[in-house]
Amino acid sequence: MLSIMELKHSKNIDESFDKWQKLLQNLPTHEEQDRFLRQFYNAFKHNEHVKVERVPKATSSTLIKIYETLIKRDAERIFAEFIDKSKVYNQLIEPEKYDVAPLMLALVDLERIGAASSYTFLLYLFSNKTDLQNEEVLLKTVQLFCKYYLRRNITDTPNTRDLDAINAELIDRCEQYKKGNGGKIGYEIIEQTLLKGRGKPSDVNSFKEYLSDNLFYYNEGMARYVLAKLDETAHSREYNPDLWSRNEKGLYVWTVEHVFPQGENIPTDWVEMIAHGDKKKAQEIQEELVHSLGNLTLNGYNSKLSNYSFGKKQYRFEANILGHKIKIGYQNGMALNNIDFDVLGMKYSLATAPKWGEEMIRARNEIMVNVVLRLFAFEGEVIEEIR
């Protein structure tokens, strides 16, 4: 991949070193620099002063040609645009720096989902704020993208290789829309193009099927994100754990915990509880359900729960620095552990269940999947209520 610092040494750029340094302040990493260069061109190539003949799309292999051409054409203008657009881009990649809630919160979510490819269109949209029909267009678009890219990342539809073309279609449609609507961009054209154009996502039934399966096995990142969002539905002033905090090594403090252990050697007490002593049956249940949402939670003391029996995982305590015992097991008060589910007419949760078996996992999984579907459904999609 080509970074800005590597591009700096190509012909016609050396004298503009100071301007490159301003650019670097907004683009901290080589990966972000390379992505910005590609996405800048792809976002604004519809403008004549940016377009380079016979280069329909920026790729790592075409960057030198593109930017040597643009700088030779009008260095002062292109550098001014670089610096201006890099400030906009910085808002997308470091949204926590901007106190513009709820837009900032939506951008943080988009970042956590892993939707960097969407920044091409968002760079275009955020750079054209004066062309928007109203202030809600930005927020509604980012929220739409959160739903879209979560579904895309879980179902792998549309394919990754099509994302650049999907962004290009969105920009083209917005440019066309402006011509017939007083130069303004409306949310409806963005929604319609994204959900019904070449990037049409999987339908809600397919989304449900993927969510209901062993989600953690297929996509650990999205499983962790979904678990965090489920817990966040109960956050308040009194209850608001930072599920995205990291330790001094940059690792998440809160990690995904498997209730029924995922290891190949299933502990004897678990074989007894979940399959009445039938090891083969326990292995079958493990293979089918161990990585499903219904068998997952988040915990800040994962290594201290390990392969303990279910009862020990529920009641586990840890002495703090003052010698007081704190709950680190499933009865720690976490909302995720208190999601109610029904088994044979009885209400349970991970914190209150007397045992953990196949029927518990399936019932909890169904409830959790249903809540995720309602949180991330597109406008007009019908989600069946579970009673």
Side-chain angles (χ1 to χ4, degrees), residues 149 251 363:
Y149 279 90
L251 303 176

Side-chain angles (χ1 to χ4, degrees), residues 287-304:
E287 182 177 354
E288 184 178 2
L289 297 172
V290 74
H291 296 302
S292 65
L293 288 175
N295 190 55
L296 305 176
T297 187
L298 293 173
N299 194 281
Y301 298 87
N302 208 332
S303 63
K304 296 186 178 182

Side-chain angles (χ1 to χ4, degrees), residues 80-252:
E81 282 207 41
F82 277 165
I83 293 171
D84 179 60
K85 299 302 189 293
S86 71
K87 292 177 182 176
V88 175
Y89 202 79
N90 184 258
Q91 185 175 359
L92 303 178
I93 63 176
E94 297 184 336
E96 298 92 342
K97 292 166 54 176
Y98 297 86
D99 186 20
V100 193
L103 180 58
M104 178 270 286
L105 296 176
L107 286 170
V108 168
D109 262 355
L110 192 65
E111 178 188 38
R112 289 170 176 169
I113 288 168
S117 59
S118 71
Y119 295 165
T120 299
F121 179 71
L122 293 181
L123 178 60
Y124 162 83
L125 198 67
F126 275 64
S127 299
N128 288 280
K129 290 181 180 180
T130 57
D131 293 341
L132 304 181
Q133 284 184 348
N134 54 62
E135 295 180 357
E136 293 183 350
V137 173
L138 285 181
L139 176 59
K140 292 177 70 174
T141 298
V142 177
Q143 290 173 334
L144 173 67
F145 276 24
C146 286
K147 295 178 179 180
Y148 180 87
Y149 279 90
L150 178 74
R151 187 176 301 195
R152 195 228 75 82
N153 289 350
I154 289 175
T155 64
D156 201 29
T157 301
N159 197 285
T160 302
R161 64 173 176 268
D162 296 325
L163 295 179
D164 284 345
I166 292 167
N167 277 280
E169 180 184 40
L170 278 168
I171 293 169
D172 289 343
R173 289 294 301 276
C174 285
E175 286 294 298
Q176 295 169 11
Y177 186 86
K178 286 199 298 184
K179 294 176 182 178
N181 291 274
K184 297 296 182 180
I185 301 171
Y187 171 74
E188 63 276 4
I189 191 61
I190 298 170
E191 180 185 43
Q192 181 183 31
T193 302
L194 188 65
L195 301 186
K196 298 182 179 180
R198 66 183 301 163
K200 184 178 180 179
S202 298
D203 62 35
V204 72
N205 291 324
S206 295
F207 186 34
K208 180 178 181 179
E209 184 178 340
Y210 277 90
L211 281 171
S212 301
D213 202 354
N214 280 312
L215 180 59
F216 182 84
Y217 177 81
Y218 296 108
N219 197 320
E220 293 183 18
M222 292 302 93
R224 190 191 186 285
Y225 175 82
V226 165
L227 289 169
K229 293 306 291 184
L230 285 168
D231 195 78
E232 287 173 16
T233 59
H235 284 195
S236 64
R237 290 183 180 180
E238 293 76 23
Y239 174 75
N240 189 25
D242 183 2
L243 301 177
W244 297 94
S245 61
R246 295 177 183 267
N247 61 23
E248 64 280 358
K249 295 181 180 179
L251 303 176
Y252 287 124

Side-chain angles (χ1 to χ4, degrees), residues 26-37 89 93-94:
N26 296 319
L27 308 168
T29 70
H30 288 315
E31 181 181 5
E32 289 160 348
Q33 294 159 17
D34 176 79
R35 194 171 64 224
F36 170 77
L37 288 172
Y89 202 79
I93 63 176
E94 297 184 336

Side-chain angles (χ1 to χ4, degrees), residues 53-99:
E53 292 298 324
R54 294 187 292 278
V55 183
K57 184 176 81 169
T59 63
S60 294
S61 62
T62 61
L63 288 182
I64 288 290
K65 177 180 179 180
I66 290 172
Y67 289 108
E68 284 195 338
T69 300
L70 296 182
I71 291 166
K72 183 177 180 180
R73 182 184 296 168
D74 192 339
E76 185 175 349
R77 181 175 185 177
I78 200 64
F79 275 116
E81 282 207 41
F82 277 165
I83 293 171
D84 179 60
K85 299 302 189 293
S86 71
K87 292 177 182 176
V88 175
Y89 202 79
N90 184 258
Q91 185 175 359
L92 303 178
I93 63 176
E94 297 184 336
E96 298 92 342
K97 292 166 54 176
Y98 297 86
D99 186 20

